[in-house]
Amino acid sequence: MFFGRRARVATAVLVCALVSACGSSGAPAVSVPPAPRTPAVSVPAPARSASGPLLDWPEFGLDPQRTSASTAATGITAANVGHLRHQHIELPGTVDSSPIYLHGASVQGATHNVAVMTTTYGKTLALDADSGRTLWVFTPPGYARWAGSAQIT
């Protein structure tokens, strides 16, 4: 069971990274001013369980410093990597946000490991990170007007 949870977390993080890298509109790049910098000592660390393994990936880059790395063991080794499996999941659009991963989140009265993401025209969805099943989708009221237009999130 311990390996299974770590493997699911590692798989979910990999899926989130791959999904966030997918898709491109081919539109010209937009110049964005740099974000304000906050001293690292004033930013909270990512949540960890009492036993130490990383259980959540709450924002882009893992933490406010965007380290994109964890020192927590993944549980994946040469001996057990063969137990990982490929998942193909159909999504209602191109994901253009950095997905977040939450371990043990309560969704509709049940506990799930969840990946939450937003598409280019504003649909936000939650996927069960273990099964790939869609748990919920939020479609903003203006979606029908925006879909296919140059106006994106």
Side-chain angles (χ1 to χ4, degrees):
M1 181 173 172
F2 183 70
F3 164 72
R5 180 175 65 188
R6 286 188 170 199
R8 286 191 303 271
V9 169
T11 302
V13 169
L14 178 60
V15 167
C16 288
L18 292 173
V19 167
S20 67
C22 292
S24 173
S25 66
V30 176
S31 177
V32 178
R37 302 231 180 238
T38 303
V41 294
S42 65
V43 180
R48 298 183 190 276
S49 75
S51 62
L54 178 68
L55 298 178
D56 296 322
W57 192 278
E59 60 191 284
F60 176 75
L62 178 63
D63 55 24
Q65 295 83 9
R66 294 186 176 168
T67 60
S68 295
S70 170
T71 58
T74 64
I76 300 172
T77 66
N80 62 28
V81 72
H83 294 284
L84 296 177
R85 59 188 167 88
H86 173 81
Q87 285 184 313
H88 177 86
I89 302 166
E90 294 291 328
L91 300 173
T94 301
V95 173
D96 76 341
S97 67
S98 298
I100 62 171
Y101 174 81
L102 301 171
H103 168 78
S106 178
V107 178
Q108 300 173 350
T111 301
H112 298 272
N113 296 319
V114 181
V116 180
M117 60 211 69
T118 301
T119 66
T120 44
Y121 297 109
K123 282 191 179 185
T124 301
L125 60 143
L127 299 177
D128 183 293
D130 299 324
S131 69
R133 185 173 60 93
T134 301
L135 298 172
W136 55 260
V137 175
F138 168 77
T139 303
Y143 180 81
R145 292 188 315 273
W146 306 321
S149 75
Q151 184 174 354
I152 62 173
T153 59

